[in-house]
């Protein structure tokens, strides 16, 4: 293995430290405490874990955490009414509605009912449009975390050739917009891209966000390239044996085949411990940014796009 391992867990701790420092200054200098409201509808186990982790880290950063847990059969009208209340609550600077929502609720309608200035997920159509036209916006957390790690490792990204594998609205498309904003030459590749290996092989930066386990092998990677692996996939791991119920144990892998890519790349993020920890750290950063903008204060340095 020759690649430098980009430690997302350590870098996320640094970001959370910067968030905490800025929150302390907001309290001491302006008497303002940033507040994040998280709305969970239903009892999806993974969502419950995410919400608990978000709440814990919000409090640890010195911010106010407001959790709203609703039954799975909550009506769309009641959810929209809650969001309207949060939109008009001056103590709430960031609003996040945990996805996925139950099937009877229109996710797009809910997301677009959030005040764009409080949309710390960066999913509102207004923020999507602002980001796409190079204007000030709330930026989706995962792409923002990827950008922060790239800046930290490479410094200037200007002129570099970047390939984003995956075209989702949550990661692929906003990631491409952020890289364009850094003056990269950007290609969005996907499952129907012709000669995908050759497209990826020319990139100085590869961001893999396609959701297919170990899809990108080392032979696709340009020697010395920086690889950001956004994928989190659970696959069977027979070498680990079986669980008490007889099922095969599993392990987490990314969208890149780590060992072969690490042998060629200049730097790579691991899975787990790479991009994942940055997502919540950037959620906290976005909440502080939203608070500063709402109060006409300077945005926190190093915590925005």
């Amino acid at each position: 293995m020759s690649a430098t391992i980009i430690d997302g867990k350590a870098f996320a701790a640094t970001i959370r430290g910067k968030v905490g420092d800025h929150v302390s200054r907001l309290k001491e200098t302006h008497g303002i405490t940033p507040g994040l409201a998280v709305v969970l509808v239903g009892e999806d186990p993974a969502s419950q874990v995410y919400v608990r982790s978000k709440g814990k880290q919000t409090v640890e950063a010195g911010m106010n955490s407001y959790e709203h847990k609703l039954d799975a059969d909550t009506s769309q009208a009641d959810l929209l009414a809650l969001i309207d209340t949060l939109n008009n609550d001056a103590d709430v600077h960031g609003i996040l509605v945990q996805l996925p929502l139950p099937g009877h609720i229109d996710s797009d309608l809910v997301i677009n009912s959030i005040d764009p200035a409080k949309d710390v997920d960066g999913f509102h159509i207004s923020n999507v449009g602002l980001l796409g036209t190079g204007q000030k916006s709330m930026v989706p957390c995962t792409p923002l975390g990827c950008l922060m790690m790239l800046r930290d490792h490479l410094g200037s990204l200007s002129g570099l050739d970047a390939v984003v594998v995956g075209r989702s609205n949550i990661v692929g498309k906003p990631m491409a917009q952020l890289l364009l904003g850094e003056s990269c030459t950007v290609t969005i590749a996907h499952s129907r891209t012709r000669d995908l290996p050759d497209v990826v092989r020319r990139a100085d930066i590869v961001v893999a966000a396609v959701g297919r386990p170990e899809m990108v092998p080392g032979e696709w990677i340009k020697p010395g390239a920086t690889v950001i692996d956004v994928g989190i996939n659970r696959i069977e791991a027979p070498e680990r044996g079986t669980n008490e119920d007889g099922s095969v144990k599993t392990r987490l892998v990314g969208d890149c085949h780590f060992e072969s890519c690490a042998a060629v790349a200049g730097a790579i993020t691991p899975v787990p411990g790479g991009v994942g920890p940055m997502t919540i750290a950037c959620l906290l950063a976005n909440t502080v940014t939203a608070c500063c903008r709402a109060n006409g204060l300077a945005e926190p340095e190093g915590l925005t796009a």
Side-chain angles (χ1 to χ4, degrees), residues 96-293:
L96 181 149
V97 177
Q98 184 66 46
L99 302 176
L101 290 169
H104 67 281
I105 295 177
D106 183 337
S107 297
D108 289 337
L109 178 63
V110 169
I111 289 169
N112 290 321
S113 71
I114 298 171
D115 180 346
K118 297 186 178 187
D119 167 39
V120 286
D121 254 342
F123 295 163
H124 192 288
I125 191 65
S126 294
N127 283 318
V128 173
L130 290 168
L131 177 62
T133 53
Q135 301 180 67
K136 184 182 294 186
S137 68
M138 298 306 302
V139 179
C141 302
T142 299
L144 178 58
C146 294
L147 178 65
M148 287 181 176
M149 288 191 290
L150 286 168
R151 285 172 169 171
D152 181 71
H153 180 70
L154 294 172
S156 173
L157 309 183
S158 180
L160 296 181
D161 198 329
V163 170
V164 180
V165 187
R167 49 181 169 176
S168 72
N169 292 331
I170 293 174
V171 180
K173 292 176 184 176
M175 187 75 247
Q177 295 293 346
L178 289 172
L179 290 168
L180 283 171
E182 297 292 309
S183 298
C184 292
T185 300
V186 183
T187 300
I188 299 180
H190 46 78
S191 59
R192 297 189 181 183
T193 298
R194 293 182 180 179
D195 300 321
L196 181 59
D198 287 340
V199 171
V200 176
R201 198 174 287 120
R202 69 170 183 252
D204 303 303
I205 296 169
V206 177
V207 180
V210 72
R212 293 176 59 181
E214 300 181 328
M215 174 183 169
V216 179
E219 64 188 41
W220 291 13
I221 301 301
K222 176 181 178 179
T226 300
V227 178
I228 305 294
D229 192 346
V230 181
I232 301 178
N233 311 284
R234 189 171 293 278
I235 64 171
E236 290 189 347
E239 70 278 7
R240 295 188 175 186
T242 58
N243 298 305
E244 291 181 2
D245 63 1
S247 61
V248 177
K249 288 188 176 181
T250 60
R251 62 187 177 94
L252 292 177
V253 299
D255 290 350
C256 299
H257 185 272
F258 181 79
E259 288 77 12
S260 64
C261 289
V264 181
I268 189 170
T269 58
V271 177
V275 174
M278 287 296 295
T279 298
I280 296 181
C282 288
L283 173 66
L284 304 180
N286 275 351
T287 303
V288 174
T289 297
C291 176
C292 291
R293 290 177 181 174

Side-chain angles (χ1 to χ4, degrees), residues 80 82-90 92 95 113-116 118:
L80 292 174
L82 171 60
I83 292 172
D84 185 61
T85 298
L86 297 174
N87 283 341
N88 291 287
D89 187 340
V92 173
I95 301 170
S113 71
I114 298 171
D115 180 346
K118 297 186 178 187

